[in-house]
Amino acid sequence: MTVTTSTTSIEGEDIEKKVKRKSSGNLETIFRKELADQLSSSRFFILFFLIMVTGAVSFYAAMQSLPADEMGDSGFTLVRLFTTSANSLPPFTWFLSLLGPLVGLAMGFDAINGEQNRGTMSRLLSQPVYRDDVINGKFLARLVVLAIMTAALGGFVGGMGILMTGVAPSGEEILRLLLYLALSVVYMAFWLALSMLFSLLFRQAATSALGGIALWLFFSIFVPLLAGMVADAVFPANDSSQTASEFYNVVLRQNISRLSPSTLYSEASLTLLSPEVRTLGPVLVEQAYGAISGFLPLGQSLLLVWPHLTGLVAATLIIFAAAYTLFLRQEIRA
Amino acid sequence: MGHDGIISMVDLTKKYGDITAVDQLNLTVNSGEIFGFLGPNGAGKTTTILMLMGLTEPTSGSLQVGGFDPMRDALDVKRIVGYMPDNIGFYDDMTGRENLRYTARLNHIAGQEAEVKIQNLLEKVGLAEAADRRVKEYSRGMRQRLGIADVLLKDPKIIILDEPTLGLDPEGAEELLDIIRDLGQKEGKTILISSHLLYQIQSICDRVGIFVKGKLIAEGKIKDLAAQLSDGGQVIEIRAEPVEQLADAVMSVAGVNFAERHGDTVIVKGDGENLAPRIVTELTARHMAVYHLNVRGYNLDDIYRQYFQGEEVK
Ligand SMILES: Nc1ncnc2c1ncn2[C@@H]1O[C@H](COP(=O)(O)OP(=O)(O)OP(=O)(O)O)[C@@H](O)[C@H]1O
Ligand SMILES: [Mg+2]
């Protein structure tokens, strides 16, 4: 009898503690410090410079390659510039999908182990701060930096486009552009969360950076390759008479490659920036025949990318939650 | 299973897989005393301290720091305890003062109050001149002193220092120990200091606990530990020429039980009245030239060696 009461009272106390737990008020302090650190780091400036230059160059080349008579009349000039590839240069979106993950990785790969290796983590955690504050503050500060960077990039390149083409963008175009930029931030946040998880799993910053890069290569190169191989094995599509098999081959390939966040991001950004994209799956000739070619309204485009967006956000949250729980239980020896 | 004292541990155990880093530790530290955690490398000193700070979870047992459980009331413990880890690190790109400012902000010490406090502490640890230089330019000793300032910023009731003199030259270590002694004696702080450099910290500790392989094998005042060990015996170091005959000559003196040559010095153990003068008389009678003679009481080093060897024999 006494035993039962005592156990319940301990548990009751615990729950009460959790509810009662006040904020330490230090999330903001840590956030600010991290933000200042990021904004003053040379790593950030190198990446920012790189992404600005490549973005601007590809955008400029796209502008040059656009026939002069096409400007303006077809609508969506501005957003189309983001996906237009010049003769030899890939489009802006390609560069961002390539460099975005690198920025995320570069910001997070030593977020935790860096402090442990310098011996500042145990000093930080012996102050009255919750561990949540530390990891949340670090993540949020980096997220804000990513957002600032993406906004600056979008504003710069977009402004350049408006000035040089002389075509004022429509409200919908601006909205599409903003959505694309927000999507890019989410995508980079995914890589940021991943690299922060690696900075907890690996004690050496170099190992964690390599792990991040390996996963990036895996998702952006191997998953699509693998998807093709698996699809070809399951639904051989060498015989052009077998339309059904060919169709399923494409569907399977696409679904497998959608396991990769890079695919999700590419598909979603294409849909957002190219209103003429009406579907992301394979289209049969019968279906396409007679379809009215035209632009998809923004709402419909959004509907199309909604699963992609939620998928990316969910993946980011799951990875961050893993990092979070790991960090809360970790021994801090230095 | 009561907890008294400002810090107490009951059956505290920490295992890493098969390794037991801390084994059934029972220890109480009283308010206002300077307690020394002594033991060789790998004895479990740091692990114990990490558990006190809630930086690692005990496998079993219970502990209490300032009335709080470090795992459950982590923040309450961290508000009253200043902890200086071994190999303390600072943000290298920030100045010493900026590093302290960050700590102040984390402890909710505001603006002007913080500035005044920081300046006072920097002066106290002798870093006022270097305060606005970046920490990457600091020497080991300067970092260590900045660490002390960092610990004191929150005005802690309890101070835990893990190997504070590690890597300092004797002079630097002495200066640091002076600061620590003042904290304990003048400001009445409870201080827990870990070290394997026994000579260095024996002068400032009220009580010590000796750790070997995760077990606390002795605990108490240095004086008492020495008394337990020595049984009235004495240890004498002698250097005299010719050194070859020294050990034999000394052995012939009544009361000497043991003489052994270490290089050009002979260590003598024995008992009885006026042992040292009688040895000198004997050596002079044999026309030997005495260059050095030192009567060693049992100091911490001996105590520690004794216990440590005892443990190894088992
Ligand atoms: N993360 C870990 N995993 C496994 N064993 C560990 C771990 N950390 C410490 N140990 C072991 O625990 C024991 C105690 O280590 P601890 O660092 O507490 O010693 P210490 O007394 O502080 O030594 P030193 O004087 O070298 O600092 C050692 O045997 C060490 O190998
Ligand atoms: Mg240690």
Side-chain angles (χ1 to χ4, degrees):
Chain A
M1 183 61 213
T2 34
V3 175
T4 9
T5 34
S6 78
T7 30
T8 42
S9 86
I10 288 170
E11 278 169 14
E13 232 174 71
D14 265 348
I15 291 162
E16 201 184 325
K17 266 258 147 54
K18 271 185 198 128
V19 175
K20 227 170 43 180
R21 197 184 104 155
K22 287 198 304 268
S23 131
S24 68
N26 276 331
L27 177 63
E28 197 195 333
T29 310
I30 294 172
F31 171 80
R32 280 202 204 163
K33 150 100 175 37
E34 291 290 326
L35 195 65
D37 277 0
Q38 290 297 321
L39 291 177
S40 64
S41 76
S42 43
R43 190 191 302 171
F44 168 73
F45 273 100
I46 290 169
L47 285 167
F48 189 59
F49 181 75
L50 189 69
I51 219 165
M52 275 296 205
V53 167
T54 50
V57 166
S58 69
F59 198 77
Y60 184 77
M63 258 185 315
Q64 299 299 313
S65 74
L66 217 64
D69 57 310
E70 223 183 81
M71 281 195 192
D73 49 58
S74 61
F76 295 110
T77 314
L78 184 63
V79 288
R80 267 203 300 149
L81 283 174
F82 282 87
T83 49
T84 306
S85 52
N87 308 330
S88 53
L89 217 56
F92 177 89
T93 46
W94 186 84
F95 278 108
L96 194 58
S97 72
L98 183 81
L99 293 177
L102 278 189
V103 177
L105 288 176
M107 278 185 173
F109 77 93
D110 62 348
I112 308 287
N113 57 13
E115 289 225 31
Q116 288 182 331
N117 291 333
R118 279 176 296 159
T120 49
M121 187 58 92
S122 58
R123 208 166 53 82
L124 178 59
L125 286 182
S126 61
Q127 308 308 329
V129 298
Y130 289 115
R131 291 194 186 194
D132 324 20
D133 296 339
V134 174
I135 191 161
N136 290 342
K138 278 176 179 288
F139 185 75
L140 285 177
R142 284 163 173 79
L143 194 62
V144 165
V145 172
L146 285 178
I148 293 173
M149 195 175 85
T150 312
L153 179 69
F156 177 67
V157 174
M160 193 169 92
I162 294 170
L163 279 181
M164 294 187 63
T165 58
V167 182
S170 67
E172 185 186 330
E173 255 183 298
I174 291 181
L175 218 55
R176 280 181 181 271
L177 186 57
L178 288 178
L179 282 169
Y180 165 68
L181 295 177
L183 173 78
S184 304
V185 173
V186 171
Y187 183 52
M188 289 189 252
F190 168 83
W191 290 99
L192 172 64
L194 196 73
S195 66
M196 282 181 72
L197 176 65
F198 279 13
S199 84
L200 271 158
L201 290 176
F202 304 111
R203 191 58 193 263
Q204 297 298 324
T207 317
S208 117
L210 275 179
I213 289 174
L215 215 60
W216 171 59
L217 287 177
F218 175 77
F219 277 141
S220 45
I221 296 176
F222 290 112
V223 171
L225 280 182
L226 217 66
M229 279 162 58
V230 173
D232 284 346
V234 180
F235 299 112
N238 36 21
D239 189 355
S240 57
S241 65
Q242 291 200 301
T243 322
S245 176
E246 214 170 299
F247 179 76
Y248 289 125
N249 179 306
V250 175
V251 172
L252 184 62
R253 176 188 306 230
Q254 197 173 31
N255 281 335
I256 294 177
S257 62
R258 275 183 188 155
L259 291 177
S260 153
S262 346
T263 311
L264 291 182
Y265 172 68
S266 307
E267 284 187 3
S269 44
L270 187 70
T271 312
L272 284 175
L273 290 178
S274 319
E276 63 269 24
V277 172
R278 302 178 63 91
T279 170
L280 287 167
V283 181
L284 295 179
V285 185
E286 306 87 271
Q287 288 177 318
Y289 183 76
I292 307 155
S293 84
F295 298 129
L296 212 57
L298 179 57
Q300 294 297 315
S301 291
L302 259 181
L303 221 55
L304 217 51
V305 302
W306 196 247
H308 296 67
L309 197 62
T310 44
L312 275 178
V313 170
T316 308
L317 287 181
I318 289 170
I319 291 170
F320 183 70
Y324 182 92
T325 26
L326 208 64
F327 184 61
L328 289 200
R329 300 191 57 85
Q330 201 186 39
E331 172 174 292
I332 306 295
R333 208 167 246 277
Chain B
M1 199 76 69
H3 284 285
D4 10 274
I6 194 156
I7 299 174
S8 68
M9 300 154 235
V10 176
D11 291 334
L12 191 64
T13 302
K14 176 73 187 181
K15 289 190 176 142
Y16 292 105
D18 296 337
I19 302 168
T20 305
V22 176
D23 195 0
Q24 302 266 323
L25 181 61
N26 286 286
L27 184 67
T28 300
V29 177
N30 301 317
S31 188
E33 76 177 342
I34 303 184
F35 191 91
F37 257 25
L38 298 178
N41 293 132
K45 303 172 302 257
T46 300
T47 309
T48 307
I49 290 174
L50 291 183
M51 288 189 281
L52 292 177
M53 289 306 295
L55 293 178
T56 192
E57 214 172 333
T59 309
S60 63
S62 67
L63 72 171
Q64 167 273 117
V65 177
F68 301 107
D69 174 345
M71 286 313 290
R72 279 187 36 200
D73 312 304
L75 243 55
D76 294 310
V77 170
K78 287 166 185 179
R79 265 191 274 267
I80 56 164
V81 184
Y83 164 53
M84 182 159 118
D86 55 349
N87 286 317
I88 187 165
F90 290 94
Y91 299 107
D92 277 350
D93 284 333
M94 289 162 47
T95 66
R97 197 190 298 275
E98 283 164 356
N99 268 287
L100 293 186
R101 260 186 213 137
Y102 186 42
T103 303
R105 243 177 282 136
L106 291 173
N107 284 285
H108 302 291
I109 306 170
Q112 197 51 39
E113 187 196 349
E115 291 304 315
V116 172
K117 233 175 171 167
I118 289 170
Q119 184 59 32
N120 288 344
L121 283 172
L122 285 166
E123 277 163 22
K124 181 173 189 160
V125 297
L127 274 182
E129 309 270 281
D132 295 310
R133 273 164 55 193
R134 291 203 278 180
V135 174
K136 72 161 77 125
E137 300 165 22
Y138 280 23
S139 71
R140 171 105 209 172
M142 289 160 83
R143 277 166 193 268
Q144 222 66 353
R145 278 182 287 164
L146 186 61
I148 296 281
D150 186 63
V151 158
L152 293 179
L153 200 53
K154 65 171 94 159
D155 202 8
K157 263 182 21 197
I158 302 170
I159 300 174
I160 299 181
L161 307 167
D162 197 357
E163 309 261 8
T165 57
L166 197 76
L168 298 187
D169 59 22
E171 216 170 302
E174 207 48 54
E175 277 174 28
L176 197 76
L177 290 174
D178 282 341
I179 297 175
I180 297 170
R181 184 188 291 116
D182 278 358
L183 287 173
Q185 289 172 357
K186 295 203 183 122
E187 302 185 24
K189 311 247 186 233
T190 307
I191 302 176
L192 195 79
I193 177 170
S194 105
S195 182
H196 58 266
L197 299 168
L198 317 158
Y199 273 117
Q200 254 179 13
I201 72 163
Q202 63 178 333
S203 63
I204 69 166
C205 289
D206 297 316
R207 277 196 315 142
V208 295
I210 297 172
F211 275 74
V212 176
K213 293 185 189 140
K215 287 205 172 72
L216 184 72
I217 54 170
E219 179 210 336
K221 292 199 168 75
I222 292 168
K223 198 163 90 244
D224 298 343
L225 291 180
Q228 271 175 33
L229 269 180
S230 64
D231 311 319
Q234 302 173 35
V235 177
I236 301 173
E237 291 167 13
I238 306 172
R239 261 208 319 273
E241 291 288 339
V243 70
E244 293 77 24
Q245 302 159 20
L246 185 54
D248 289 339
V250 173
M251 277 307 274
S252 68
V253 178
V256 172
N257 327 325
F258 173 87
E260 192 178 60
R261 187 176 151 192
H262 294 272
D264 60 352
T265 309
V266 167
I267 306 285
V268 180
K269 287 186 186 156
D271 42 43
E273 293 279 295
N274 302 328
L275 188 60
R278 282 190 287 117
I279 291 173
V280 174
T281 315
E282 175 67 25
L283 295 183
T284 324
R286 295 187 182 216
H287 303 292
M288 295 176 76
V290 179
Y291 292 104
H292 169 89
L293 187 141
N294 178 26
V295 182
R296 272 202 329 222
Y298 264 102
N299 60 29
L300 206 49
D301 214 359
D302 300 317
I303 296 170
Y304 161 75
R305 202 182 297 130
Q306 194 89 3
Y307 277 113
F308 186 34
Q309 282 164 356
E311 185 67 19
E312 269 186 338
V313 170
K314 275 182 213 164

